[in-house]
Amino acid sequence: MKQDINRHEILEKVTPLIENTAIRFNLIPIEIEFVKENHRWFLRIFLYSNERNITIDDCEKVTRSLNEFLDDLIPVKYSLEVSSPGLERKFKSDKEFLIFKGRRISIKLKQPIEGETEKIFKGEILDWDDREGLTFFRFEDAKEMVIPKENIQSAKLYID
């Protein structure tokens, strides 16, 4: 018997629980996804900390704290995966520009900025505003620039 699952409804139910649990351990869930792959459901949680690197122990603590509660909220069999986002993961939401403020990123633009020919830059996130976009310090010429969010094709953390 096929069961209709509304993954958006499930995410709405589990997200507050996941956020509250992560906060108890001084962690930030930067991405939560509930997806079906090869006929199996997966709940994936990517954790971040401004203070330290994420460890396996952090992932285990969050997993143990969530296990019994999630089963009551998710009506299908699923696999829970809790991990760090990885060192050079592409940003999936605008809020990551705020979470990673002060960190180094590589950014790819849709169109070159006026007076420029390049579309890929490395630099540091200085600020993010939902209307104005990204305030960015470009390393190659030590220049501060504002990049409208409509012109950002992709961004990812940059490690030297």
Side-chain angles (χ1 to χ4, degrees):
M1 183 170 123
K2 187 178 182 222
Q3 190 175 9
D4 285 333
I5 300 299
N6 184 329
R7 63 183 200 87
H8 297 291
E9 274 182 20
I10 290 173
L11 280 172
E12 281 181 26
K13 289 179 188 176
V14 301
T15 296
L17 174 65
I18 293 166
E19 288 173 341
N20 290 335
T21 301
I23 288 168
R24 283 196 349 246
F25 296 107
N26 243 4
L27 302 169
I28 302 165
I30 61 167
E31 183 182 353
I32 302 167
E33 64 179 18
F34 188 63
V35 295
K36 192 170 190 177
E37 295 174 357
N38 297 320
H39 309 291
R40 293 181 55 209
W41 286 99
F42 293 89
L43 177 61
R44 293 193 179 109
I45 304 167
F46 296 93
L47 301 171
Y48 176 73
S49 171
N50 288 319
E51 301 157 2
R52 58 189 164 75
N53 291 329
I54 301 298
T55 65
I56 291 174
D57 191 43
D58 293 321
C59 296
E60 286 177 11
K61 286 178 188 173
V62 171
T63 299
R64 277 194 215 104
S65 296
L66 289 171
N67 261 338
E68 65 185 81
F69 300 107
L70 290 175
D71 290 344
D72 293 337
L73 298 173
I74 301 175
V76 292
K77 191 174 179 178
Y78 66 96
S79 295
L80 175 61
E81 297 176 357
V82 180
S83 65
S84 72
L87 294 177
E88 292 193 10
R89 170 187 171 278
K90 281 188 178 182
F91 289 12
K92 304 242 173 113
S93 70
D94 291 348
K95 77 176 184 176
E96 290 182 63
F97 288 102
L98 287 173
I99 291 169
F100 295 117
K101 185 176 176 178
R103 299 281 306 269
R104 295 169 174 232
I105 62 169
S106 174
I107 189 162
K108 184 174 184 180
L109 306 179
K110 294 176 183 172
Q111 299 293 322
I113 293 176
E114 191 174 319
E116 304 280 342
T117 56
E118 296 295 316
K119 292 196 301 187
I120 299 174
F121 302 108
K122 289 184 170 84
E124 181 181 319
I125 300 172
L126 298 177
D127 202 6
W128 174 262
D129 180 277
D130 283 328
R131 286 167 287 148
E132 300 296 319
L134 174 66
T135 304
F136 181 76
F137 180 79
R138 187 167 66 182
F139 292 146
E140 70 185 48
D141 57 4
K143 181 179 176 184
E144 186 175 312
M145 55 198 321
V146 175
I147 302 170
K149 76 181 205 174
E150 311 77 57
N151 195 21
I152 298 173
Q153 182 169 328
S154 65
K156 65 181 181 175
L157 292 175
Y158 165 68
I159 309 302
D160 285 331

